Amino acid sequence: MPNKDGHRHFGNVRKLPSGRFQVRYPGPDGRMRNGGETYPTRPLALRALAIIEGQVARGEWIDPERGKVLLRDYADRWIAQRPKLRPRTVDLYRWLLGKHIAPYLGGVPLGRLSTAMVREWRAELLGKGVSASMAAKAYRLLRAVLMTAVNEDNILPRNPCRIPGADAEDPAERPTLTVTEVYDLAAEMPDRFFALVLLATFASLRYGEATALQRRDLDLTARTVRVRQAFVERTGGVLLGPPKSRAGLRTVSIPASIVPELRRHLADYADDDPDAWVFTGPKGAVLKRSNFNKLTAWKEAVAKLGKPGLHFHDLRHTGNTLAASSGASTRDLMARMGHDSMNAALIYQHATSEADRAIADALDRKLPGRDDDDPSAGAPVPAG
């Protein structure tokens, strides 16, 4: 319908008792709303009203009422509404939110967050001694939460997390071991964990993958280990679930030189039941990481080796480094390591067992105790 003379076709401007001007307009749902700001002159108010009209017409209008939700409440729901997150990731996100985000920004309405505010928050974290790596983790979580507010919930027009380099952890290069050092470390362990160190290293297994192996997962005749599950430790318990990613589901060839140690381990420390855990504590219980560190005096063992600060995960890093030196293709290495990527499923499906065996054979040539006449015979001799 034509508008009446003197009336705007979209919204209106009114003068407040203070002398300032406020806009009033219909949202896409037809409900009338007052503008959140006031203006010193009518022309400025009319200009703001025209901008709002354009945003509504283009589908870019943000309801200012929705921007009043507090960051802590929105972020808490954001975590809860992502059922595909791994349990340890949920724990990490909730810890980061409670420790490094909510105490600073949790009470701020989403609509009032700004890049300057985020920059000040990050600077305060670093100024209080939070490591650059931890600050980067917190920043990436905040950015992901606010990206949902922009792209899915239409609460923010753009993400205020726009600080170059704030997401980069730049961690120190993790140490690797030589083959001799791997055997030296294994020799420092109680005997029931000797084979665990060797298998985790030379099959590039994560701790949770290695400790979740069952007897049925080891085929020592074919020299393979099948990774199909992993333990995930959370506060108050241990959960058994799938590997870290889809690419983590894999079958890895084992160097022949460590097969005798694995046979000995199964005979001495594992039940005959196919479902029996391969690696357990002295009482047959699931091997939690904290218990493993105590049982092995890990800190003292790696210090004695001249590698203070070495983590169990560095054994996998060592194995990956040794495997990469075999000359195998990137695709075959990715399949062996169980690395996730946008092509993880394709890599896993098309990596051939022949190529993976070649990696194991190349590793085998680096290990002690190889009998060239019988690649599967002969016990390795720990160096030193």
Side-chain angles (χ1 to χ4, degrees):
M1 295 181 58
N3 295 316
K4 295 180 180 180
D5 291 342
H7 286 260
R8 289 185 51 82
H9 72 286
F10 178 84
N12 57 71
V13 175
R14 63 176 179 175
K15 188 174 184 178
L16 300 175
S18 65
R20 295 179 68 85
F21 295 85
Q22 184 182 48
V23 301
R24 184 172 171 77
Y25 60 91
D29 56 3
R31 184 163 63 89
M32 294 298 292
R33 292 171 171 81
N34 293 326
E37 299 183 38
T38 60
Y39 306 90
T41 66
R42 182 177 292 273
L44 286 176
L46 290 172
R47 179 182 178 186
L49 190 58
I51 292 173
I52 294 172
E53 180 182 9
Q55 291 172 339
V56 171
R58 294 190 300 271
E60 299 173 354
W61 177 78
I62 305 295
D63 186 346
E65 290 297 315
R66 303 185 67 190
K68 292 181 180 180
V69 62
L70 300 183
L71 172 63
R72 71 164 65 91
D73 298 332
Y74 185 82
D76 189 65
R77 289 198 299 271
W78 185 92
I79 296 171
Q81 292 170 356
R82 272 148 183 79
K84 292 185 178 180
L85 289 178
R86 290 176 60 83
R88 286 187 66 185
T89 302
V90 171
D91 288 345
L92 172 63
Y93 284 177
R94 292 203 179 281
W95 184 84
L96 289 171
L97 177 62
K99 179 73 173 179
H100 294 312
I101 299 176
Y104 302 86
L105 300 174
V108 179
L110 288 188
R112 293 193 175 277
L113 284 170
S114 66
T115 299
M117 196 178 297
V118 172
R119 185 184 301 111
E120 183 178 348
W121 158 72
R122 178 174 176 269
E124 188 170 355
L125 284 184
L126 295 173
K128 289 186 174 181
V130 176
S131 69
S133 177
M134 190 59 65
K137 286 182 171 66
Y139 178 86
R140 290 200 302 271
L141 173 59
L142 178 62
R143 183 177 61 187
V145 169
L146 298 182
M147 190 58 69
T148 300
V150 173
N151 293 340
E152 298 179 23
D153 294 336
N154 201 32
I155 295 176
L156 296 175
R158 72 174 189 171
N159 196 328
C161 291
R162 306 169 66 87
I163 304 172
D167 60 344
E169 293 190 39
D170 193 24
E173 179 68 25
R174 295 306 307 166
T176 60
L177 303 178
T178 65
V179 170
T180 298
E181 288 171 334
V182 172
Y183 276 95
D184 287 345
L185 178 60
E188 291 294 327
M189 302 289 101
D191 187 64
R192 70 182 305 117
F193 303 129
F194 187 91
L196 172 59
V197 169
L198 298 186
L199 185 62
T201 303
F202 300 123
S204 294
L205 301 183
R206 300 175 176 92
Y207 182 85
E209 294 172 345
T211 54
L213 290 175
Q214 293 173 285
R215 196 176 185 114
R216 66 170 73 248
D217 297 321
L218 285 176
D219 186 339
L220 299 185
T221 301
R223 289 172 35 217
T224 62
V225 56
R226 179 178 54 170
V227 180
R228 56 187 175 84
Q229 56 192 7
F231 279 122
V232 178
E233 295 187 30
R234 302 187 68 184
T235 303
V238 178
L239 298 179
L240 182 64
K244 188 174 182 179
S245 67
R246 187 176 178 181
L249 292 165
R250 63 200 190 278
T251 298
V252 180
S253 292
I254 303 170
S257 296
I258 70 171
V259 168
E261 282 300 329
L262 290 170
R263 291 192 190 280
R264 183 176 71 85
H265 176 88
L266 291 176
D268 293 347
Y269 300 110
D271 293 338
D272 292 334
D273 189 327
D275 291 331
W277 303 118
V278 174
F279 300 108
T280 63
K283 296 182 180 180
V286 170
L287 195 58
K288 293 179 64 175
R289 192 184 305 252
S290 57
N291 291 342
F292 172 80
N293 289 339
K294 292 177 183 177
L295 289 168
T296 61
W298 180 267
K299 184 181 293 187
E300 293 78 5
V302 296
K304 183 177 180 180
L305 196 68
K307 297 287 184 177
L310 184 84
H311 299 161
F312 188 94
H313 193 74
D314 295 325
L315 300 182
R316 170 176 158 82
H317 180 47
T318 294
N320 289 346
T321 302
L322 292 171
S325 69
S326 70
S329 70
T330 300
R331 174 176 292 183
D332 295 327
L333 286 171
M334 293 290 284
R336 181 178 181 86
M337 299 171 188
H339 278 186
D340 200 4
S341 72
M342 57 189 299
N343 295 317
L346 179 65
I347 292 170
Y348 177 73
Q349 291 169 356
H350 291 283
T352 66
S353 59
E354 290 81 11
D356 196 47
R357 176 59 65 84
I359 295 175
D361 288 341
L363 283 175
D364 203 45
R365 288 191 290 272
K366 298 176 180 289
L367 306 188
R370 179 182 173 93
D371 184 335
D372 290 332
D373 295 327
D374 183 359
S376 63
V381 180

